[in-house]
Amino acid sequence: MSERAEVDVVIVGAGFAGMFMLHRARGIGLSARVIEAAGGVGGTWYWNRYPGARCDVESMEYSYQFSEELQQEWEWTERYATQPEILEYANHVADRFDLRRDMQFDTRVRSATYDEQSDRWTIRTDGGGELSAQFLVMATGCLSSARVPDFPGLERFEGETYHTGKWPHDGVDFAGRRVGVIGTGSSAIQSIPIIASQARELTVFQRTASYSVPANNGPISEDEKQAIKRDYAAFRAQNSLMPTAIGSRLPIADSLATTVAPEERERIYEERWEHGGLPFLGAFLDLLFDPNANETAAEFVRAKIHGIVKDPEVAERLSPKTVIGCKRLCVDTGYFETYNRDNVELVDVSETPIDEITRHGLRVGDREFEFDSIVFATGFDAMTGALLKIDIRGRDGLSLRDAWAAGPHTYLGLGSVGFPNLFTISGPGSPSVLTNMIVSIEQHVNWITDCIEYLRDNGYRRIEATPEAQDAWVAHVNAVADFTLFPKCNSWYLGANVPGKPRVFMPLLGYPMYVDKCNEVAAKGYEGFALTGNPA
Ligand code: FAD
Ligand code: NAP
């Protein structure tokens, strides 16, 4: 692309956020272009093709609701859909709504600069392309900046290396191979059982043990599907009243773990364990607020691990000692059972870290390991990583990297002081990763589209968060986090997985209250934002 394209809105990213943003932008008559680094749509589901990858929010919920026809016609096959099925769904949406003609793939946005004279953004890409747009919408994803830790000797390894978040399209056959997996977060927990069943030997390097609850995955019955589809809108409406916008069929209980009788508590945990998945954390109202309550759930899971894993020492190593739910709860299929296999070893690197990657494997203290393949299940520079990789310059040349040097500062997770006409979808300061993300994405896209329409209809050229509103919002997000147990462990929610990243809790707990606030802001003519132009 050599000439400078002029559009109303440039959207960066063609995951679920960028796709829906394009659809809505077109719907209000805007010209739009999506720029995407990948070779196709789907975002997370384009990149994360590791064995066992699937959603942990039930498929009937983890899907768009903006089109009744779409949600009626699409048939999910399993309670938790696989990555190929979700990617197929993303491609179906792209075709059905004819999205591809305004999308440019295999192109990475490198910089975006705001010009105050014209009130427009100039966006530059790695191919030397340039675009000009009045509005810039960052749909770059919260978990799209895959991260391999800076292990000494990384370049020396002569075998194959993979990151779960950048998995080869043709898959990987681990048959006969000696494999090392580094990490025990959600991606590792999904992939380890499958890698173990293929590989000759599998060694898992665990720094922090994770809590995981079985998915109890299986086919969705026709009855269940029809029950939801008969009134999908009502089902969605019920879910949107939940703090995480998930799971109205098994909502958070209103009793307290600390006040029920111990036998009753066990019975309830057992019931949620059997049900499977994330609703486990909703067994009691106080689990994410009261350390004593939390400990009862943590202890229940630890007992389950000891019940599954035959070697008591391995079971103990796999038993997390941290607050449950403080890092994202994992959802698995046969994870702990995998450690009963003869070809699997668990190595604890919490005290003695991985010293270096060697030509033939890696070294931990005085132990050398030899591998044919190393899998980095080491996660992402979450929430801010993809945004800050782009050189974004707002008013007076202010760079977003500088503006967010002490952690992300936003108003509503949608806009940031100094960056007019720039919107972030599921940005830090919004419920985002603490929710069913497709619900949060649709809510943001709808808000942004309505906002642009309001500006246009009322003759405004520019919108920017005010410092007062932003400061108050940042304080609110922190206050909510401090009221919970979330700040109590080293999670990616806090940026703690990236050395040097400011320790700030980035998402906001509480979807319904957040939506009310967004609606109120809009109803009051975008209160907390400064609007400039020549209003009619
Ligand atoms: P993404 O899907 O991450 O898409 C962002 C896109 O932007 C990417 O394709 C990326 O290539 C592109 N991009 C970024 N920077 C640039 C640039 N500079 N130039 C050009 N393109 C760029 N959430 C749930 O709610 N439920 C789940 O079950 C769930 N499971 C998950 C499983 C995995 C393995 C992972 C990693 C995440 C999961 N998530 C889940 C979170 C998931 O990221 C969101 O649900 C959702 O897919 C995010 O969509 P998005 O469009 O906002 O971002
Ligand atoms: P993650 O949760 O951040 O896990 C990364 C793992 O790598 C952790 O166990 C971490 O240990 C380890 N690690 C990082 N650096 C290390 C080092 N230097 N040495 C040793 N170990 C190291 O990443 P993820 O598993 O990719 O998941 C990220 C998020 O994506 C999830 O929380 C979830 O939101 C989403 N996701 C969802 C699903 C799903 O079930 N649908 C699946 C995958 C991902 P520490 O814990 O000690 O830092």
Side-chain angles (χ1 to χ4, degrees), residues 59 75 87 109 130 178 182 191 224 257 260 278 290 298 327 331 353 396 435 458 504 514:
S59 313
E75 297 284 334
L87 185 59
V109 170
E130 196 172 297
R178 295 160 306 166
I182 302 176
S191 55
E224 185 184 347
V260 291
L278 300 176
D290 178 346
K327 289 186 177 195
V331 177
D396 305 321
T435 65
N458 292 283
V504 175
Y514 172 79

Side-chain angles (χ1 to χ4, degrees), residues 79-152:
R79 183 179 184 194
Y80 297 103
T82 59
Q83 170 274 329
E85 194 171 47
I86 304 173
L87 185 59
E88 194 185 329
Y89 171 74
N91 277 296
H92 169 75
V93 173
D95 292 336
R96 195 187 194 291
F97 297 97
D98 188 21
L99 299 178
R100 288 178 222 278
R101 67 184 153 85
D102 287 320
M103 290 182 164
Q104 188 174 327
F105 298 114
D106 299 307
T107 309
R108 186 168 284 281
V109 170
R110 293 288 179 205
S111 71
T113 311
Y114 187 70
D115 173 38
E116 278 188 70
Q117 302 309 313
S118 60
D119 281 317
R120 292 182 74 81
W121 284 92
T122 298
I123 295 98
R124 295 198 173 83
T125 67
D126 55 0
E130 196 172 297
L131 297 101
S132 163
Q134 185 182 4
F135 298 101
L136 176 59
V137 181
M138 306 308 288
T140 43
C142 291
L143 294 160
S144 58
S145 184
R147 201 185 150 264
V148 174
D150 204 5
F151 293 114

Side-chain angles (χ1 to χ4, degrees), residues 16 55 57-67 70-72 74 76 86 89 93 228-229 232 235-236 436-440 442:
F16 285 125
C55 52
V57 169
E58 295 193 28
S59 313
M60 294 300 286
E61 302 184 31
Y62 189 68
S63 47
Y64 288 122
Q65 58 186 294
F66 70 86
S67 160
L70 172 66
Q71 61 181 4
Q72 288 297 335
W74 186 262
W76 294 109
I86 304 173
Y89 171 74
V93 173
I228 290 173
K229 286 189 174 185
Y232 225 137
F235 180 62
R236 301 289 196 181
N436 172 353
M437 284 204 71
I438 303 191
V439 172
S440 283
E442 285 190 289

Side-chain angles (χ1 to χ4, degrees), residues 49-52 160-164 167-168 170-181 191-202 343 371-376:
R49 299 175 190 233
Y50 61 83
E160 316 258 305
T161 59
Y162 308 97
H163 189 288
T164 50
W167 203 259
D170 297 334
V172 182
D173 182 4
F174 290 107
R177 293 203 212 167
R178 295 160 306 166
V179 184
V181 172
S191 55
I192 281 169
I194 298 171
I195 297 175
S197 71
Q198 297 174 351
R200 175 146 62 99
E201 291 165 18
L202 171 64
N343 67 334
F371 298 122
D372 303 305
S373 319
I374 298 179
V375 174
F376 295 100

Side-chain angles (χ1 to χ4, degrees), residues 45 48 50 53-57 143 147 149-151 163-165 182-190 205-210 327-331 349 353-354 377-380 433 490 492-493 496-497:
W45 306 101
N48 290 261
Y50 61 83
R54 52 175 82 243
C55 52
D56 60 4
V57 169
L143 294 160
R147 201 185 150 264
D150 204 5
F151 293 114
H163 189 288
T164 50
I182 302 176
T184 51
S186 299
S187 303
I189 280 179
Q190 286 188 329
F205 295 90
Q206 169 187 280
R207 188 166 65 181
T208 311
S210 291
K327 289 186 177 195
R328 185 170 177 103
L329 184 67
C330 300
V331 177
V349 291
I354 296 169
T378 45
F380 301 86
V433 291
N490 291 327
W492 57 258
Y493 297 136
N497 62 326

Side-chain angles (χ1 to χ4, degrees), residues 426-471:
S426 63
S430 73
S432 177
V433 291
L434 296 181
T435 65
N436 172 353
M437 284 204 71
I438 303 191
V439 172
S440 283
I441 284 168
E442 285 190 289
Q443 186 259 338
H444 265 190
V445 169
N446 287 329
W447 191 95
I448 293 165
T449 314
D450 293 349
C451 175
I452 294 176
E453 194 171 31
Y454 177 89
L455 298 176
R456 187 186 63 187
D457 292 351
N458 292 283
Y460 293 107
R461 292 191 317 273
R462 185 199 287 195
I463 182 166
E464 181 184 341
T466 66
E468 300 74 29
Q470 177 168 290
D471 289 349

Side-chain angles (χ1 to χ4, degrees), residues 129-391:
E130 196 172 297
L131 297 101
S132 163
Q134 185 182 4
F135 298 101
L136 176 59
V137 181
M138 306 308 288
T140 43
C142 291
L143 294 160
S144 58
S145 184
R147 201 185 150 264
V148 174
D150 204 5
F151 293 114
L154 198 53
E155 67 301 332
R156 282 206 296 261
F157 183 60
E158 290 174 359
E160 316 258 305
T161 59
Y162 308 97
H163 189 288
T164 50
K166 278 190 186 169
W167 203 259
H169 285 203
D170 297 334
V172 182
D173 182 4
F174 290 107
R177 293 203 212 167
R178 295 160 306 166
V179 184
V181 172
I182 302 176
T184 51
S186 299
S187 303
I189 280 179
Q190 286 188 329
S191 55
I192 281 169
I194 298 171
I195 297 175
S197 71
Q198 297 174 351
R200 175 146 62 99
E201 291 165 18
L202 171 64
T203 311
V204 177
F205 295 90
Q206 169 187 280
R207 188 166 65 181
T208 311
S210 291
Y211 292 97
S212 188
V213 172
N216 287 340
N217 191 31
I220 314 177
S221 74
E222 207 41 47
D223 285 354
E224 185 184 347
K225 264 194 269 188
Q226 287 319 317
I228 290 173
K229 286 189 174 185
R230 260 196 298 282
D231 196 351
Y232 225 137
F235 180 62
R236 301 289 196 181
Q238 283 301 314
N239 285 332
S240 73
L241 299 175
M242 303 294 114
T244 53
I246 304 172
S248 59
R249 286 178 294 174
L250 186 55
I252 299 173
D254 51 15
S255 52
L256 304 179
T258 42
T259 56
V260 291
E263 309 75 52
E264 175 63 357
R265 196 167 59 211
E266 280 307 283
R267 189 193 64 72
I268 291 170
Y269 283 141
E270 196 63 53
E271 213 172 78
R272 296 256 172 172
W273 182 268
E274 281 307 310
H275 175 86
L278 300 176
F280 181 80
L281 278 180
F284 296 100
L285 190 58
D286 49 355
L287 293 187
L288 286 173
F289 301 96
D290 178 346
N292 294 324
N294 191 278
E295 180 56 21
T296 64
E299 191 45 39
F300 178 87
V301 177
R302 288 193 286 260
K304 283 289 182 193
I305 297 169
H306 276 272
I308 297 168
V309 179
K310 291 186 183 134
D311 181 333
E313 272 178 39
V314 177
E316 189 51 27
R317 250 179 279 151
L318 285 166
S319 297
K321 310 293 182 289
T322 46
V323 165
I324 184 171
C326 172
K327 289 186 177 195
R328 185 170 177 103
L329 184 67
C330 300
V331 177
D332 74 277
T333 300
Y335 174 65
F336 294 115
E337 290 82 349
T338 301
Y339 293 93
N340 292 331
R341 297 177 64 103
D342 292 338
N343 67 334
V344 177
E345 182 185 356
L346 178 72
V347 177
D348 183 342
V349 291
S350 60
E351 309 246 307
T352 311
I354 296 169
D355 290 294
E356 59 170 345
I357 309 284
T358 61
R359 276 176 62 202
H360 299 296
L362 59 80
R363 187 171 63 78
V364 178
D366 53 12
R367 241 190 117 183
E368 297 262 358
F369 296 85
E370 291 202 352
F371 298 122
D372 303 305
S373 319
I374 298 179
V375 174
F376 295 100
T378 45
F380 301 86
D381 182 355
M383 301 205 74
T384 54
L387 284 169
L388 297 182
K389 269 189 186 163
I390 304 171
D391 184 13

